[in-house]
Amino acid sequence: MGVCSTKEKKAPNQDLENLTAQIEELKALQRHQAAEVALSQQIVLTNVKHGDSAAMVSMWSLLAKSVVAGVSVSPEQLEVLWGKYDKDQNGVLDLEEVKCMLEDVRLSRIQLLENALSAGSPFREQNRGNPIAFAALEQEMKSKLYSLQSEQNSFDEHEVKSIFSNLDVNGDGKIQKTEFLCRAEETIFSEQRQARQVVDNMIQSLEMIQNSVQFDVCVTSR
């Protein structure tokens, strides 16, 4: 793409300004999410190590935020969680231990939704410029929250076995630590990975349109 000289440039048109603003807003949101995760993760990790049961739920919430923000879940974080759910300390997770883990995952999802829907939350602030779209999304989130709060466990037997199978890489009916470290993020945080990909794709699409509009501005100014 050619670059306009100072003489060739004219003031960017409104479309270009709007596209640039949208891209910067999305990237700023990603940077904010990553910074928020970085500030919280060591505190939460320390609390988990000290046996704080509430911190276990907060840890899962933080890891979900990490994935959305594009911050990889660290082996240290997963190892700490592994140690907490390996109740009998036999070096593997069985089905019942995985069920306990998934109950904490359920509670963490409730926590994330309650925080997002609370008055003055960053989520509300970020979406206040699009009230129609936000109203639909808010209703969907409330429905999901109600479902999570109403059920004893958000994962039915089929889902539990599916998750267990995905983590049990060698299929021996037990989840080794190496298997958990390798597969936990993609198995447990699949929704968050998809959400991150949606935002990345949106930014990429906007940047392609931005380049096209910028090229048109250059051409028409000659």
Side-chain angles (χ1 to χ4, degrees):
M1 182 181 71
V3 178
C4 298
S5 68
T6 304
K7 289 183 179 180
E8 290 173 331
K9 283 184 180 177
K10 66 177 181 181
N13 63 30
Q14 194 63 45
D15 286 343
L16 186 56
E17 289 179 350
N18 290 341
L19 284 166
T20 302
Q22 289 180 58
I23 292 168
E24 287 307 309
E25 185 177 351
L26 287 170
K27 289 184 176 180
L29 175 58
Q30 290 181 326
R31 290 192 297 270
H32 172 77
Q33 289 173 329
E36 184 182 30
V37 166
L39 285 171
S40 305
Q41 61 184 0
Q42 194 55 52
I43 296 172
V44 175
L45 188 60
T46 300
N47 291 340
V48 170
K49 288 178 178 178
H50 290 163
D52 185 345
S53 58
M56 296 287 285
V57 175
S58 295
M59 188 68 180
W60 284 112
S61 297
L62 181 63
L63 295 184
K65 288 182 179 180
S66 298
V67 175
V68 173
V71 179
S72 296
V73 178
S74 73
E76 181 189 9
Q77 292 168 325
L78 292 175
E79 282 198 40
V80 170
L81 288 172
W82 165 271
K84 295 300 178 181
Y85 293 111
D86 182 16
K87 302 292 186 183
D88 53 13
Q89 297 296 302
N90 66 347
V92 296
L93 295 184
D94 59 30
L95 187 59
E96 290 306 311
E97 289 168 329
V98 169
K99 285 181 179 179
C100 290
M101 179 184 73
L102 293 179
E103 173 60 11
D104 282 346
V105 172
R106 178 183 78 90
L107 294 175
S108 75
R109 292 179 177 180
I110 290 175
Q111 185 181 82
L112 285 171
L113 286 168
E114 287 179 336
N115 290 342
L117 291 169
S118 63
S121 71
F123 173 76
R124 285 188 177 279
E125 291 299 310
Q126 291 154 8
N127 289 277
R128 63 182 178 179
N130 194 344
I132 297 177
F134 175 71
L137 181 57
E138 181 183 35
Q139 187 57 45
E140 181 181 342
M141 292 171 67
K142 285 181 176 179
S143 176
K144 178 65 173 175
L145 177 60
Y146 176 77
S147 175
L148 287 169
Q149 291 172 328
S150 301
E151 299 169 10
Q152 185 177 2
N153 195 306
S154 62
F155 299 92
D156 62 29
E157 200 66 25
H158 173 75
E159 289 174 309
V160 171
K161 289 181 178 179
S162 176
I163 290 170
F164 190 92
S165 177
N166 286 335
L167 292 171
D168 182 17
V169 178
N170 66 9
D172 65 354
K174 302 181 291 286
I175 300 171
Q176 312 287 339
K177 182 189 287 188
T178 53
E179 294 174 321
F180 183 76
L181 297 182
C182 177
R183 299 294 287 272
E185 181 176 332
E186 67 180 81
T187 300
I188 297 171
F189 299 111
S190 58
E191 290 183 11
Q192 288 77 17
R193 287 162 67 95
Q194 289 171 7
R196 172 69 186 197
Q197 191 60 54
V198 166
V199 175
D200 286 343
N201 290 345
M202 190 182 302
I203 292 175
Q204 186 178 31
S205 297
L206 287 170
E207 286 178 334
M208 290 175 64
I209 298 171
Q210 180 190 44
N211 289 338
S212 176
V213 172
Q214 196 167 24
F215 177 78
D216 290 342
V217 169
C218 291
V219 170
T220 56
S221 68
R222 295 183 180 184

